[in-house]
Amino acid sequence: KNLLIFHMDGSNAQFVVALDTATGCAYWTFRAEWRIRANVAVSDGIAVFGDLGANVYALNAQTGALLWRDKAEWIPSSRITGNVTIHDGIAYVPISSMQEVLNIVKNKEYPCCTFRGSVVAYDINNGKRLWKSYTIDQEPYLLGETKNGTKRYGPSGAVVYSAITIDEKRGLFYVTTGNQMTEPRVDASDAIMAFDLKTGAKRWVAGLAPEERGGK
C-alpha cells in the first residue's frame, strides 16, 4: 500500500498514524510511551522516530509493528525534539533536554546540570547503536553547592534541539546547539558543529555565542 506516515500533533499526542493515500483511511496506528514532537523518518520500509522520553522506535512501515526500541539517554528530562535523519541505512537521532527547566520548576533544589547534548546513530535494520557523540567533550563534574545545599555540576547543555544536515560529499553531518546550562564555558555552546558520518567523531566547532554570553 501507499501510506502517509506521520505523528498526531497536540498536547498529548503519542500516536504515529499511517493513512492510505488512495482513501485517506487510517491503516494502522502506534502509541509511543511519551509525546512525539519531531518527525517520522521513513527509509527502506522502516519508520523511525523519537519521543519526549528520549525513546527511539523503529516500525514496519507497512504494518506498524514494532521492530526495535532503545532508550537514547537516561538523564531525567532528556528528550527528542529535533528531526530524525536517515542516511545510508543509519538513523541519526539528536538528543535535547529540559534539565535546567526542571531545576527551576523544583525551586532550584534539583541538582543541575549533568546533561550534555548528543547525537546517537542506529542501524535501522536491527536497532544496533553504532555510536553516541556528545557536543561537550568534558564529562560534568561537581562544581560545588548552592546556598541551600543543592549540588551543582558542569559543564552542561549545548543540546541539539533541531534537525541534522547530511553532507554526503564531505562525509559529514552538521548540528546546531543550544545554550550552556552551567559553566565552565565551552565552545560547543550556541554553535554549529560538524561530525563524521561513519564514526561520529567531532571534526570542527564554530561557536556563535555573543560576547555577553561568554562567546569569543
Side-chain angles (χ1 to χ4, degrees):
K1 281 183 175 290
N2 292 320
L3 301 176
L4 174 64
I5 302 174
F6 59 98
H7 73 85
M8 299 290 292
D9 198 8
S11 60
N12 282 310
Q14 296 170 255
F15 289 95
V16 171
V17 180
L19 298 184
D20 188 320
T21 57
T23 66
C25 294
Y27 190 63
W28 56 255
T29 62
F30 178 89
R31 184 171 184 173
E33 181 180 356
W34 291 74
R35 182 181 165 203
I36 304 165
R37 279 277 304 275
N39 70 323
V40 180
V42 181
S43 179
D44 296 328
I46 299 174
V48 183
F49 61 95
D51 68 15
L52 295 190
N55 298 298
V56 183
Y57 306 81
L59 310 180
N60 182 307
Q62 287 296 314
T63 67
L66 179 66
L67 299 176
W68 55 263
R69 170 179 169 172
D70 186 60
K71 183 81 166 178
E73 179 59 74
W74 287 92
I75 292 177
S77 75
S78 300
R79 51 205 235 145
I80 297 168
T81 56
N83 284 356
V84 173
T85 300
I86 299 177
H87 176 73
D88 198 21
I90 299 175
Y92 299 88
V93 183
I95 312 297
S96 64
S97 172
M98 293 287 287
Q99 196 175 51
E100 62 181 341
V101 175
L102 182 62
N103 181 49
I104 295 171
V105 170
K106 291 184 175 291
N107 198 28
K108 298 187 178 180
E109 294 179 353
Y110 177 85
C112 184
C113 287
T114 56
F115 180 87
R116 293 179 287 164
S118 65
V119 175
V120 186
Y122 294 93
D123 185 322
I124 66 170
N125 294 294
N126 54 30
K128 179 182 179 182
R129 184 184 292 198
L130 302 176
W131 45 259
K132 181 175 187 177
S133 294
Y134 290 98
T135 55
I136 299 176
D137 297 328
Q138 171 71 55
E139 290 188 20
Y141 57 89
L142 182 65
L143 298 174
E145 296 184 354
T146 64
K147 292 180 180 180
N148 62 8
T150 301
K151 287 182 170 59
R152 297 186 67 253
Y153 298 88
S156 64
V159 305
V160 186
Y161 286 119
S162 56
I164 291 164
T165 299
I166 301 293
D167 185 345
E168 186 174 24
K169 180 180 179 180
R170 295 175 179 81
L172 302 174
F173 69 87
Y174 308 107
V175 299
T176 57
T177 65
N179 63 287
Q180 278 193 246
M181 296 177 184
T182 50
E183 71 279 1
R185 194 191 75 79
V186 293
D187 291 338
S189 168
D190 304 281
I192 299 172
M193 308 181 71
F195 295 83
D196 188 279
L197 268 176
K198 296 297 184 183
T199 67
K202 189 181 297 180
R203 294 305 184 200
W204 53 260
V205 179
L208 302 174
E211 291 185 12
E212 59 268 25
R213 295 178 62 183
K216 294 180 179 179

